[in-house]
Amino acid sequence: MLEKAAELASALGARLAVEAIFDAIQSGAEAQALAAMVRLAGVEPSAILVSPRREFKTRPSNHLPNGERPIDEIVQALRAVGRACPIGAGTPSLFTEFNRNPPTGNADFVFFGNSAIVHAADEQSVMETLTVYPAVMETARQLCPGKPIWLGPCTIGLRHNPYGEAVAANPGNNRVPAAGTDPRQRALFGAAFAVGVAARAAETAAARLILAAPTGPFSLLNEDGSRRPCKPSMPKSLRPPASNAIGFRVIGQAWQQLPFVAATRSACWRPT
């Protein structure tokens, strides 16, 4: 799978970023396992995004589960096994989880995501979520001074639900709070929402902006390969620059396609 990710990145003229989910029990051994997988695939990631598996579910502030290691220990272990690319520390969940347990230590950057339908799914509520980004980014900078921020995925639906067993079921493809799929993600509304997030990211100087995915619920493409409005409706100034990055996630020993598209600070939008 990682080799295929590298091929896709090459075809796009992109760089390969890897989001690595660690058990955070034996930092050294887990870092060595990731390094071995990368070497075996013959690729060199442009960045590694580090998250402990505990980040998938909410937990009290400043709480480290018994037997688990701090995130900075994993970052340092990756550097010790020869990973020279930038290494980020953060959460695959929402800003609320980042705020409760912000990463500490010497990561090169930090990251977190957001969803527009955690509490409500009507059109007005979705668009009103755009107003929170300046405060969110300022808080993140206070929590992690001097760290570049990779913002996203910032999507309408949820990648996963840190507050329950799973995202809300949505078999009718309706407007459902906390759902993983939302019909507006693939519509002009979703494109307008993405432009709004990009504008907020530009205002707040996000280092990277994650808006969409190559495939899946947050894809830039429909099942038949046709483009969704998010891409063609983007103003030219906000379309992906040449220095893109395609992202993939590794959980334990299994590679998964990573559902995010990231953006440069200057262009405010780019596939990761």
Side-chain angles (χ1 to χ4, degrees), residues 104-128:
T104 58
N106 296 314
D108 297 300
F109 60 93
V110 296
F111 61 92
F112 55 85
N114 268 324
S115 164
I117 57 171
V118 175
H119 302 293
D122 61 279
E123 273 75 8
Q124 181 174 339
S125 295
V126 169
M127 286 302 181
E128 284 178 348

Side-chain angles (χ1 to χ4, degrees), residues 183-211:
R184 294 163 294 187
Q185 187 73 40
R186 63 175 66 200
L188 285 171
F189 185 97
F193 176 78
V195 171
V197 175
R200 289 302 195 186
E203 292 171 9
T204 57
R208 297 288 187 276
L209 172 61
I210 303 161
L211 286 173

Side-chain angles (χ1 to χ4, degrees), residues 7-256:
E7 291 174 4
L8 177 58
S10 178
L12 293 172
R15 296 173 296 170
L16 183 67
V18 173
E19 184 182 29
I21 308 299
F22 290 85
D23 290 332
I25 303 298
Q26 296 179 313
S27 301
E30 293 173 41
Q32 290 175 357
L34 175 63
M37 294 173 73
V38 170
R39 284 195 300 269
L40 183 63
V43 300
E44 187 58 46
S46 64
I48 298 175
L49 290 77
V50 173
S51 292
R53 192 182 299 273
R54 59 181 175 262
E55 290 294 334
F56 280 102
K57 295 299 178 184
T58 190
R59 67 187 196 279
S61 297
N62 303 312
H63 173 70
L64 184 66
N66 290 336
E68 296 193 21
R69 308 307 305 160
I71 193 169
D72 188 56
E73 187 174 302
I74 304 170
V75 172
Q76 297 306 323
L78 285 170
R79 291 191 175 126
V81 296
R83 293 295 92 198
C85 65
I87 300 174
T91 177
S93 294
L94 310 173
F95 172 73
T96 47
E97 301 314 302
F98 182 95
N99 189 43
R100 286 188 180 96
N101 289 280
T104 58
N106 296 314
D108 297 300
F109 60 93
V110 296
F111 61 92
F112 55 85
N114 268 324
S115 164
I117 57 171
V118 175
H119 302 293
D122 61 279
E123 273 75 8
Q124 181 174 339
S125 295
V126 169
M127 286 302 181
E128 284 178 348
T129 64
L130 297 174
T131 65
V132 308
Y133 281 94
V136 162
M137 292 292 284
E138 177 59 28
T139 301
R141 288 198 166 89
Q142 292 178 10
L143 293 170
C144 302
K147 300 293 185 184
I149 299 171
W150 286 35
L151 176 61
C154 297
T155 54
I156 297 177
L158 275 73
R159 278 209 293 178
H160 61 269
N161 185 2
Y163 313 112
E165 290 299 319
V167 296
N170 189 13
N173 201 30
N174 298 314
R175 292 154 174 78
V176 177
T181 59
D182 187 287
R184 294 163 294 187
Q185 187 73 40
R186 63 175 66 200
L188 285 171
F189 185 97
F193 176 78
V195 171
V197 175
R200 289 302 195 186
E203 292 171 9
T204 57
R208 297 288 187 276
L209 172 61
I210 303 161
L211 286 173
T215 62
F218 311 119
S219 176
L220 295 172
L221 302 176
N222 292 309
E223 289 76 6
D224 62 1
S226 60
R227 292 182 176 185
R228 293 180 179 178
C230 183
K231 187 166 185 177
S233 67
M234 277 280 185
K236 186 175 181 180
S237 62
L238 293 181
R239 290 181 187 172
S243 58
N244 296 337
I246 186 77
F248 273 68
R249 168 189 286 165
V250 59
I251 302 180
Q253 299 297 312
W255 288 100
Q256 297 179 346

